Amino acid sequence: MEGLFFNVDTGFLEGIVRGYKSGTLTQSHYASLAQCETLEDFKTQLSATDYGNFLANEPSPLSTATIADKATQTLVDQFNFIRSNSVEPLSKFLDYITYGYMIDNVVLLITGTLHERDTHELLERCHPLGIFDTMPALCVATNVEELYQSVLVETPLAPYFRDCLSAADLDDMNIEIIRNTVYKAYLEDFYNYVSTIGSTTADVMHNILAFEADRRTINITINSFDTELTKEQRAKLFPAIGRLFPTGNNALAKADDIDQVRQVCENVSEYRSFFDNSASAQTNGDLGDFGVAAQLEDRFFRMEVHLNKLAFLQQFQYGVFYSYVKLKEQEIRNITWIAECIAQDARDRIHDFIPIF
């Protein structure tokens, strides 16, 4: 039945986002970009894609930071166009997409306040998708207590902070714990919200959000080895959703090394490949925990791209809007990587990106 009425409010925007997706860079585009000798050549090659002349007004010499910023602004403009034309429940769904970026921005401001940095300068470093109308009000705060009260009053993240944290928790030691605690609450809330939408949207988004939760659980576990974080504190940071929840989460909360993490992940067929080579490489002394974590991150990105591509195989659902943003972010990471390799003349690593189509 949802297909009968979906197009009334959302058919136009779904068509727009699928059109945006058709402009995603392909293997042939990446091959052309990788052959460029300079960033000026790189700029010329990009102008032949859907990015067009987005760098036309940038002075020489071009920097990789400028390329990344301008490409991100292209995504933000597309997202804002969709958002300004949306109605409930899609408009609220799009709001949820921005909450993840808002969390990173607020944590950045908290860190700056703790270190007595000028928060107005930090605003320029905030992700544009996580900017909200009352954000400048947070810059008025001169200490952490004031900032905490401002977050509770001025931001859409208030429920996550109020239910999980107090002002006393906001110190330099706890900053990553704060980020993960708030993100846990956000993921669980987003998961519950798409459940209320139901239908195909819930099916698609449950798979994507479950993987995101599992990725954070695995990363938190590995990053907490040899730190002061207790196993009880670690367990509290794990989202209560995902393929690993609850049995895998309980096992990871007690894990002491990478090998135990691998054993837990082997219970989920899609996650077995994450540790295929890294475990053997570590046994041979080729990789430490840091090397394994770096390999894992790359495989997580590949799995994320795969799941987000699958979202476009389903119609009459909102998952395509979330997936397009994530695929575009990966494309921007790819572009930035290639540009950085050209700028530093690191040709041997120029193909170490994750192609999408």
Side-chain angles (χ1 to χ4, degrees), residues 204-225:
V204 170
M205 288 305 300
H206 279 173
N207 286 336
I208 293 173
L209 293 176
F211 168 72
E212 182 60 34
D214 289 341
R215 169 163 69 174
R216 297 191 76 83
T217 299
I218 295 168
N219 278 336
I220 289 167
T221 303
I222 294 172
N223 292 334
S224 66
F225 293 155

Side-chain angles (χ1 to χ4, degrees), residues 10 52 79 120 134 163 234 353:
T10 317
F79 182 84
H120 291 87
T134 54
D163 296 341
R234 183 200 299 175
F353 57 86

Side-chain angles (χ1 to χ4, degrees), residues 90-154:
L90 175 59
S91 58
K92 188 172 183 181
F93 180 87
L94 295 176
D95 287 343
Y96 268 101
I97 295 176
T98 65
Y99 290 169
Y101 303 99
M102 286 184 193
I103 291 170
D104 288 336
N105 289 350
V106 170
V107 169
L108 179 65
L109 292 177
I110 291 172
T111 308
T113 304
L114 285 170
H115 293 159
E116 298 181 352
R117 296 272 302 277
D118 183 357
T119 45
H120 291 87
E121 289 180 12
L122 292 174
L123 274 180
E124 298 176 6
R125 292 175 51 197
C126 289
H127 195 291
L129 279 179
I131 299 288
F132 44 92
D133 293 341
T134 54
M135 199 163 184
L138 300 185
C139 295
V140 178
T142 55
N143 58 54
V144 174
E145 178 69 37
E146 287 181 14
L147 184 61
Y148 180 75
Q149 295 301 329
S150 298
V151 168
L152 288 185
V153 174
E154 304 288 352

Side-chain angles (χ1 to χ4, degrees), residues 293-326:
Q295 277 200 4
L296 271 177
E297 195 63 26
D298 185 65
R299 289 171 185 182
F300 285 151
F301 279 133
R302 291 181 185 276
M303 174 63 84
E304 182 184 41
V305 165
H306 173 68
L307 290 174
N308 285 314
K309 283 163 64 176
L310 291 181
F312 282 90
L313 300 181
Q314 302 271 12
Q315 286 187 301
F316 310 125
Q317 46 91 15
Y318 298 151
V320 291
F321 298 97
Y322 179 93
S323 293
Y324 175 71
V325 172
K326 295 302 177 183

Side-chain angles (χ1 to χ4, degrees), residues 54-55 58-59 61-71:
F54 76 120
L55 295 171
E58 295 305 314
L62 204 57
S63 71
T64 53
T66 301
I67 294 172
D69 289 345
K70 289 295 180 182

Side-chain angles (χ1 to χ4, degrees), residues 114 171-177 228:
L114 285 170
D171 62 54
D172 210 20
M173 183 81 174
N174 291 331
I175 201 69
E176 282 306 313
I177 296 177
E228 296 177 6

Side-chain angles (χ1 to χ4, degrees), residues 30-100:
Y30 286 124
S32 299
L33 292 173
Q35 290 171 6
C36 295
E37 294 293 328
T38 66
L39 290 184
E40 288 301 321
D41 295 342
F42 188 84
K43 170 180 169 181
T44 305
Q45 285 290 345
L46 269 182
S47 66
T49 69
D50 271 30
Y51 282 98
N53 294 319
F54 76 120
L55 295 171
N57 296 325
E58 295 305 314
S60 297
L62 204 57
S63 71
T64 53
T66 301
I67 294 172
D69 289 345
K70 289 295 180 182
T72 301
Q73 191 55 50
T74 301
L75 168 60
V76 172
D77 292 343
Q78 292 174 343
F79 182 84
N80 286 337
F81 174 78
I82 292 170
R83 197 177 183 182
S84 62
N85 284 281
S86 64
V87 296
E88 288 281 356
L90 175 59
S91 58
K92 188 172 183 181
F93 180 87
L94 295 176
D95 287 343
Y96 268 101
I97 295 176
T98 65
Y99 290 169

